Amino acid sequence: MIDTTTALELVLKHGTLNTDFFEVDLKDALDYVVAKDVVSRIDMPPFRQSAMDGYALHVHDDFTYTVVGEVQAGDHNDPTLRKGEAVRIFTGAPVPTSANTVVMQERVTLDGNKIIVEGSPKVNMNIRPKAEQIKAGGIAIHKGTTIKGGHIGFLASLGLTKITVSKKPSVAIVVTGNELVAPGMPLSYGEIYESNGAMLRAVLNELGYKNTSVVTIRDDYDTTKNVLSDTLGKYDVVVVTGGVSVGDYDFVGKAFKAIGVQEIFYKVKQKPGKPLFFGKKEETSIFGLPGNPAAALSCFYIYVYPLLKKYEGAEHMNLPTISLPLLSDYTVKGTQAQFLKARIEGAGVRILGGQSSAMVQAFGDANALVCLPVNSMEIKKGQNVKTLLLPTK
Amino acid sequence: MIDTTTALELVLKHGTLNTDFFEVDLKDALDYVVAKDVVSRIDMPPFRQSAMDGYALHVHDDFTYTVVGEVQAGDHNDPTLRKGEAVRIFTGAPVPTSANTVVMQERVTLDGNKIIVEGSPKVNMNIRPKAEQIKAGGIAIHKGTTIKGGHIGFLASLGLTKITVSKKPSVAIVVTGNELVAPGMPLSYGEIYESNGAMLRAVLNELGYKNTSVVTIRDDYDTTKNVLSDTLGKYDVVVVTGGVSVGDYDFVGKAFKAIGVQEIFYKVKQKPGKPLFFGKKEETSIFGLPGNPAAALSCFYIYVYPLLKKYEGAEHMNLPTISLPLLSDYTVKGTQAQFLKARIEGAGVRILGGQSSAMVQAFGDANALVCLPVNSMEIKKGQNVKTLLLPTK
């Protein structure tokens, strides 16, 4: 059985790196990964910009200046200031080429068409230099960046309306289990409601992956083989939940073999998610996740999400990670690596109750996963632990 | 001038709490706030469920049991075990009423139709008790919870297909400034590209607020007054960017007065975002944000986002907050409270370069905002600071 580090390395090594890209309108670019460096066509700011409401002037030996005009934001004029002259100027307005400072209006006494400045103004105050943020030809956003709201603001400020982004992977979720009944239907003894499909689809959606499908199948070898065979050709990533444990009625592993899925690994020294399967067929990556919802979701965040980001060529493939002190002692059962639903609060991280593989409600309170290495045994309050940040809002 | 705490209190005190709700399909429920406690109609699990592949039996004095049948996941049978009998059982299958434990298959030696168990099995092992997660009639998710992927998994597992959620506020973004030119158009001297509209709309979208509009207007009193007057009646929240600073050409404040917007506060002892305005007219909340993109976005996360969450009746209205050690010394300029773009990494938080109000690109690298109180002066490396987590993916 391999360890969690090796498992993630193998996923990222064998995961397909897609090379398809396309142009997207900036307004629709959220969550996409930039496929080519985005280059600015302009200096930003494009001119020396006043950072304050006040007076632009060329510093001379006297405290008094004559106000000879004004420049508002959006004005196109560039008045030439002679010695002892100033112009009224507003935030965002172009600072006249002949001025070398802007004095805040709070530091000025107005006397008719003259101003008296407090003390001797320093040169280059309250001026945002031309190209302070970026020069024309400079790289605004590097290839591999996942686009967030702030990036859209920055790119719009450079006048861009489209960017080139990587294609996102399509994801099929195949849910297996004779015990599963669709929500809304009546439940007989021995049956439970199917929840992995809806959950994984919602999480994929939350993370920006909209091209998804869910199929539910019974534990039947032929059906499993046929559905998987059909799905492999149509999707970039196939996530099967259930049917991968050691039980006699697990047809998934047999079906994988029969349709030519190459096993990269099966079983990882971890809890939850020991019977994790990862394989490839041509360019399609195939995960076999545990059927228990909480185990499936943990494995999704830790292994499937990085694979999706690799497909897109993202620089950061894992969820953001931070080392945080535990807020109370924790005793690990067993020797496997642990992924524990947790909540970041105050100045540390608290491991939540309800860690059983079947219990997904702890994910409601969770905003993090604490990752403990093998043989962790006793972790003391205050000890730092590796903490993955779940998508937060 | 008020402080940041008072400002946020006033926003949340005066912000409208909406009481409209509606039913949404569970698959579309992401990011909505639950309007009524969601009650489970079933016990979950609905029966005693095997947590392992193995053998269900009623413990007796001998190590040997006769295997008299099997129960697969999804089977409806409840075989009665006599003394010394066991059934083969699989993960997720119903444990027979007459069995009091499940022995993992790894702890069993199979000998024809008999099994010999290792040692004396403990009672109630590897059984998930009926209703372990929730009882029928119990509250699955409390009113005020914002729905995430894990919740959708849990609610689906209870058989639910719809939930009752609060209406989301509609948001109009009104961008002002003569210097602003739409991206894609040519730029003249003194002009910059408009980016606040696209940025705020993207961020709203990222946070689940899809009912938004953007209007760009010039610095002209009549236009400003007419557009604002028209917008106030049609949206729950109006966010104006620009036009609220002390400059002579700021028509927004005058327009607010003319159309009957009640000022709740104007100006906050903070950087960036000193000239922040907040007002109400009937049920509509109105923000005046600074025109500088980075300042506008900081104010959005700190003041506008909590107001939107209050509107929806959310329990948690602010972005998640954590206290983290600074990764290097930081010297504060000025005495105001500071909101600083920052990046959580390693075991602490790093304040990023490019904190100027106009420079939004730091938001690309940022995954957090560090909030320093007034008169912070010198903060030393290792000192804990209040850190707001920005939406992460």
Side-chain angles (χ1 to χ4, degrees):
Chain A
M1 224 184 318
I2 59 172
D3 62 24
T4 56
T5 310
T6 308
L8 184 56
E9 279 170 10
L10 286 170
V11 165
L12 293 179
K13 180 181 162 197
H14 291 276
T16 299
L17 174 62
N18 161 63
T19 51
D20 286 357
F21 52 81
F22 63 103
E23 275 208 332
V24 69
D25 279 353
L26 191 58
K27 68 176 171 46
D28 302 320
L30 209 59
D31 295 331
Y32 278 103
V33 172
V34 173
K36 292 178 177 178
D37 288 350
V38 182
V39 172
S40 181
R41 283 177 295 202
I42 63 165
D43 290 336
M44 185 63 206
F47 50 85
R48 294 200 306 156
Q49 211 177 26
S50 180
M52 288 286 171
D53 293 334
Y55 294 86
L57 46 85
H58 194 100
V59 178
H60 71 160
D61 298 338
D62 196 353
F63 295 147
T64 303
Y65 294 81
T66 307
V67 181
V68 296
E70 70 170 28
V71 190
Q72 301 174 30
D75 278 358
H76 307 305
N77 55 329
D78 182 11
T80 304
L81 298 178
R82 286 175 302 183
K83 192 177 169 170
E85 290 182 345
V87 289
R88 179 93 175 98
I89 198 163
F90 298 92
T91 307
V95 176
T97 312
S98 52
N100 66 357
T101 203
V102 170
V103 181
M104 283 171 70
Q105 60 189 25
E106 292 83 351
R107 298 275 167 83
V108 156
T109 310
L110 195 58
D111 177 16
N113 71 337
K114 295 203 184 304
I115 52 165
I116 301 133
V117 301
E118 283 175 16
S120 195
K122 280 189 211 155
V123 162
N124 281 330
M125 290 300 283
N126 304 315
I127 296 175
R128 299 186 197 125
K130 185 177 175 178
E132 179 188 27
Q133 295 187 42
I134 192 167
K135 280 186 170 43
I139 295 175
I141 298 192
H142 284 271
K143 181 181 167 170
T145 304
T146 303
I147 293 289
K148 295 185 292 182
H151 294 118
I152 291 180
F154 183 47
L155 295 177
S157 80
L158 304 177
L160 298 167
T161 56
K162 288 176 185 293
I163 55 170
T164 304
V165 296
S166 296
K167 200 188 109 184
K168 282 187 175 288
S170 57
V171 185
I173 302 152
V174 179
V175 179
T176 71
N178 285 345
E179 72 278 26
L180 303 176
V181 170
M185 304 297 287
L187 208 60
S188 301
Y189 175 72
E191 294 176 340
I192 58 169
Y193 286 113
E194 199 297 284
S195 59
N196 279 337
M199 177 180 71
L200 292 176
R201 195 171 206 179
V203 171
L204 283 162
N205 195 26
E206 195 172 16
L207 293 165
Y209 301 97
K210 314 276 180 181
N211 187 356
T212 59
S213 77
V214 177
V215 187
T216 306
I217 53 176
R218 293 183 67 79
D219 287 329
D220 167 90
Y221 175 69
D222 286 329
T223 313
T224 305
K225 194 181 71 172
N226 294 339
V227 168
L228 284 178
S229 174
D230 185 51
T231 309
L232 284 187
K234 292 186 186 153
Y235 289 85
D236 301 308
V237 179
V238 176
V239 177
V240 182
T241 74
V244 288
S245 73
V246 286
D248 296 1
Y249 290 92
D250 297 336
F251 293 104
V252 175
K254 294 173 202 160
F256 282 156
K257 278 208 186 87
I259 59 177
V261 172
Q262 180 203 353
E263 177 184 314
I264 308 294
F265 64 76
Y266 174 47
K267 292 194 178 174
V268 181
K269 228 176 287 172
Q270 63 186 7
K271 189 181 171 187
K274 191 175 91 172
L276 180 71
F277 173 94
F278 178 63
K280 285 279 301 234
K281 187 182 179 188
E282 289 154 15
E283 293 307 303
T284 303
S285 300
I286 301 103
F287 284 96
L289 304 189
N292 281 321
L297 190 51
S298 295
C299 289
F300 175 86
Y301 284 127
I302 290 161
Y303 299 105
V304 184
Y305 177 72
L307 177 104
L308 301 176
K309 297 310 284 183
K310 180 192 169 177
Y311 183 93
E312 299 178 86
E315 186 192 349
H316 298 292
M317 293 183 281
N318 299 316
L319 288 171
T321 302
I322 180 172
S323 170
L324 284 178
L326 263 194
L327 292 174
S328 51
D329 296 353
Y330 188 80
T331 305
V332 176
K333 284 184 206 149
T335 58
Q336 302 126 304
Q338 307 277 315
F339 300 121
L340 300 161
K341 279 85 79 184
R343 189 163 180 87
I344 293 174
E345 49 186 33
V349 61
R350 181 166 61 85
I351 292 173
L352 298 168
Q355 294 291 341
S356 148
S357 300
M359 292 171 86
V360 80
Q361 72 262 58
F363 265 111
D365 290 330
N367 56 18
L369 280 178
V370 164
C371 305
L372 303 178
V374 290
N375 297 318
S376 284
M377 316 289 283
E378 294 278 336
I379 316 271
K380 291 289 171 198
K381 179 179 169 178
Q383 196 172 326
N384 270 41
V385 291
K386 184 178 163 189
T387 306
L388 259 64
L389 300 183
L390 297 178
T392 11
K393 280 181 192 174
Chain B
M1 225 184 316
I2 59 172
D3 63 25
T4 56
T5 310
T6 308
L8 185 55
E9 279 170 9
L10 286 169
V11 165
L12 293 179
K13 179 181 163 197
H14 291 275
T16 299
L17 175 62
N18 160 63
T19 52
D20 287 355
F21 52 82
F22 64 102
E23 275 207 333
V24 69
D25 279 353
L26 191 57
K27 69 177 170 46
D28 302 320
L30 210 57
D31 295 332
Y32 277 103
V33 172
V34 173
K36 292 178 177 177
D37 288 350
V38 182
V39 172
S40 181
R41 282 177 295 202
I42 63 164
D43 291 336
M44 184 62 205
F47 51 85
R48 293 199 308 157
Q49 212 177 26
S50 179
M52 289 287 170
D53 293 334
Y55 294 86
L57 46 84
H58 194 99
V59 179
H60 71 160
D61 298 337
D62 196 352
F63 294 146
T64 303
Y65 295 81
T66 307
V67 181
V68 296
E70 70 169 28
V71 190
Q72 301 175 28
D75 278 356
H76 307 307
N77 55 327
D78 183 10
T80 303
L81 299 178
R82 285 175 304 182
K83 192 175 166 168
E85 290 182 346
V87 289
R88 179 94 174 98
I89 197 163
F90 298 92
T91 307
V95 176
T97 312
S98 51
N100 67 357
T101 202
V102 169
V103 181
M104 284 170 70
Q105 60 190 26
E106 291 83 350
R107 300 275 166 85
V108 156
T109 310
L110 194 59
D111 178 16
N113 71 338
K114 294 201 184 305
I115 52 166
I116 299 136
V117 300
E118 283 175 17
S120 197
K122 281 189 209 155
V123 163
N124 281 330
M125 290 300 282
N126 304 316
I127 295 175
R128 300 186 196 123
K130 185 177 175 179
E132 180 187 27
Q133 295 188 41
I134 192 166
K135 280 186 169 43
I139 295 176
I141 298 193
H142 284 271
K143 181 181 168 171
T145 304
T146 302
I147 293 289
K148 296 186 290 183
H151 294 118
I152 290 180
F154 183 46
L155 295 178
S157 79
L158 304 178
L160 297 167
T161 56
K162 289 176 184 290
I163 55 169
T164 304
V165 295
S166 296
K167 199 188 109 181
K168 282 188 175 288
S170 56
V171 185
I173 302 153
V174 179
V175 179
T176 72
N178 285 345
E179 74 279 25
L180 302 177
V181 171
M185 305 296 288
L187 210 58
S188 301
Y189 175 73
E191 295 176 340
I192 58 170
Y193 286 114
E194 199 296 284
S195 59
N196 279 336
M199 176 181 72
L200 292 175
R201 196 172 207 180
V203 171
L204 283 162
N205 196 25
E206 196 172 15
L207 294 165
Y209 301 97
K210 315 276 180 182
N211 187 356
T212 59
S213 77
V214 177
V215 188
T216 306
I217 53 176
R218 292 183 66 80
D219 287 328
D220 166 272
Y221 175 70
D222 286 328
T223 312
T224 306
K225 194 180 73 172
N226 294 340
V227 167
L228 285 177
S229 174
D230 185 50
T231 309
L232 284 186
K234 292 185 187 154
Y235 288 86
D236 300 310
V237 179
V238 176
V239 177
V240 182
T241 74
V244 289
S245 74
V246 288
D248 296 0
Y249 291 90
D250 297 337
F251 295 105
V252 176
K254 294 173 201 158
F256 282 157
K257 280 209 183 84
I259 58 177
V261 172
Q262 182 203 350
E263 177 184 315
I264 308 293
F265 63 77
Y266 174 46
K267 293 194 178 175
V268 181
K269 228 175 289 172
Q270 65 186 8
K271 189 180 173 187
K274 191 175 93 173
L276 180 71
F277 173 93
F278 179 62
K280 286 278 303 229
K281 186 180 180 190
E282 291 153 12
E283 293 307 303
T284 303
S285 299
I286 301 102
F287 283 96
L289 305 188
N292 280 320
L297 190 51
S298 295
C299 288
F300 174 87
Y301 283 127
I302 290 162
Y303 299 105
V304 184
Y305 177 71
L307 178 103
L308 301 176
K309 295 312 284 182
K310 179 191 170 177
Y311 182 94
E312 299 179 86
E315 187 192 349
H316 297 292
M317 293 183 280
N318 300 316
L319 288 171
T321 302
I322 180 172
S323 171
L324 284 178
L326 263 194
L327 292 174
S328 52
D329 296 355
Y330 189 80
T331 305
V332 176
K333 285 183 204 150
T335 58
Q336 302 126 303
Q338 307 278 316
F339 300 121
L340 301 161
K341 277 86 77 185
R343 188 160 181 89
I344 293 175
E345 50 187 30
V349 62
R350 181 166 62 87
I351 292 172
L352 298 168
Q355 294 291 341
S356 149
S357 300
M359 293 170 86
V360 80
Q361 71 262 57
F363 265 110
D365 291 329
N367 56 17
L369 280 177
V370 164
C371 305
L372 303 177
V374 290
N375 298 317
S376 284
M377 317 288 283
E378 294 279 335
I379 317 270
K380 290 289 170 199
K381 178 181 169 177
Q383 196 173 325
N384 270 41
V385 291
K386 185 179 162 187
T387 306
L388 259 64
L389 300 182
L390 296 178
T392 10
K393 278 180 193 174

